[in-house]
């Protein structure tokens, strides 16, 4: 990670490849957490530049880009700002870097980096979990009163859900209003279908129908078991299959799970498997080990049979 300490350095350099600028504050613990995320991303995305700027030390830059809170991330390509992320949202930052950095080192304009149809992307997001909440902020840090209320209701009724911060992606924020024909936020979706906003959720509470509308909460242990057995060969890693060293180790089909995108799974799996590091490889629900174990099995000529569950 590159650390820029002066305003002139940060303003005068135009980067051809994707550049991620983190406006941070040394006193903010969430910034320190996102610095760790940046460090991991820097290892995986060699052609992307990661820059840290202390927001209060560069007031003119912060004012120019309307930095009002930390952490805030600006993404540049070809010398132009192409995206923005407000808040400590590791999964969203990871997704943006993977999506926008996939074009390599050549300069690109903002309109060139969007490779998937917006409606297809919205459909994928809506179906990312059985229950999806599109809100302002995160469940841990709601950024409007309506979002805060709906998070509390879902928590009080033990509703299992995933969320998307619409403040982190203006395209999704505006596009979903048209896609769903629902002009305000928060928005709740169940099984890919729009349920409604805060008023609808309150009506369901009052009528006693809420519990029958949402999927029940699944314990972390059951969730981990389900993930481990999602595919005969499951790899839990930082990033995705395309950046995995293991993809060159065997040709057998396998699924991956990005532990950077889910802190609960990341920490829970360490305890569940009694294995403190990642990656972790599972075959038919049983832990094989990490990269060193895989390399050792490959050297001994045993990897193929282990992956097929023969050993």
């Amino acid at each position: 990670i590159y650390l820029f300490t002066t305003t002139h350095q940060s303003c005068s350099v135009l980067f051809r490849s994707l550049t991620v600028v983190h406006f941070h504050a040394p006193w903010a613990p969430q910034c320190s957490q996102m610095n760790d995320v940046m460090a991991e991303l820097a290892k995986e995305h060699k052609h992307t530049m990661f820059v840290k700027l202390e927001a209060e030390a560069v007031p003119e830059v912060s004012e120019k880009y309307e930095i009002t809170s930390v952490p805030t991330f600006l993404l540049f390509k070809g010398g132009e700002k192409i995206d923005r992320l407000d808040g400590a949202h590791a999964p969203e930052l990871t997704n943006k870097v993977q999506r926008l950095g996939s074009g390599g080192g050549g300069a690109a304009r903002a309109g060139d980096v969007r490779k998937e149809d917006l409606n297809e992307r919205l459909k994928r997001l809506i179906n990312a979990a059985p229950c999806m909440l599109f809100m302002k902020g995160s469940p841990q840090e709601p950024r409007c009163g309506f979002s805060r209320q709906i998070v509390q209701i879902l928590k009080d009724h033990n509703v299992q859900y995933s969320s998307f911060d619409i403040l982190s992606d203006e395209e999704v924020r505006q596009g979903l209003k048209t896609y769903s024909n629902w002009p305000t936020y928060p928005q709740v979706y169940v099984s890919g279908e729009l349920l409604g906003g805060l008023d609808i959720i309150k009506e369901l509470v009052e009528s006693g129908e809420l519990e029958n509308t949402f999927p029940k909460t699944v314990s972390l242990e059951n969730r981990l078991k389900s993930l481990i057995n999602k595919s005969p060969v499951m790899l839990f890693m930082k990033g995705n299959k395309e950046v995995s060293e293991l993809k060159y180790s065997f040709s057998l089909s396998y699924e991956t799970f990005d532990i950077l995108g889910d802190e609960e799974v990341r920490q829970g799996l360490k305890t569940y498997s009694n294995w403190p590091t990642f990656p972790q490889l599972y075959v038919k629900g049983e832990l094989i080990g990490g990269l060193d174990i895989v390399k050792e099995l490959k050297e001994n000529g045993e990897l193929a049979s282990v992956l097929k569950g023969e050993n």
Side-chain angles (χ1 to χ4, degrees), residues 280-293:
Q280 293 183 15
L281 181 67
Y282 292 78
V283 174
K284 295 183 177 180
E286 297 294 328
L287 175 67
I288 301 302
L291 182 59
D292 289 341
I293 300 295

Side-chain angles (χ1 to χ4, degrees), residues 142-151 185-186 198-199 202:
R143 296 181 66 180
C144 81
F146 296 136
S147 293
R148 184 175 293 106
Q149 288 183 60
I150 207 165
V151 165
Y185 291 97
L198 179 60
D199 290 342
K202 286 182 174 179

Side-chain angles (χ1 to χ4, degrees), residues 19-78:
T19 301
V20 182
V21 182
H22 177 199
F23 287 83
H24 73 104
W27 44 262
Q30 62 269 34
C31 291
S32 177
Q33 175 189 350
M34 293 306 292
N35 281 338
D36 293 339
V37 174
M38 291 245 294
E40 293 297 333
L41 289 172
K43 296 176 184 177
E44 299 163 5
H45 299 273
K46 305 297 186 183
H47 298 293
T48 297
M49 181 173 289
F50 294 86
V51 179
K52 292 188 293 183
L53 283 177
E54 187 175 340
E56 294 175 346
V58 287
E60 53 275 275
V61 179
S62 297
E63 182 178 357
K64 176 181 179 181
Y65 291 106
E66 299 179 340
I67 307 300
T68 58
S69 62
V70 293
T72 292
F73 299 87
L74 299 183
L75 292 88
F76 294 85
K77 203 166 190 180

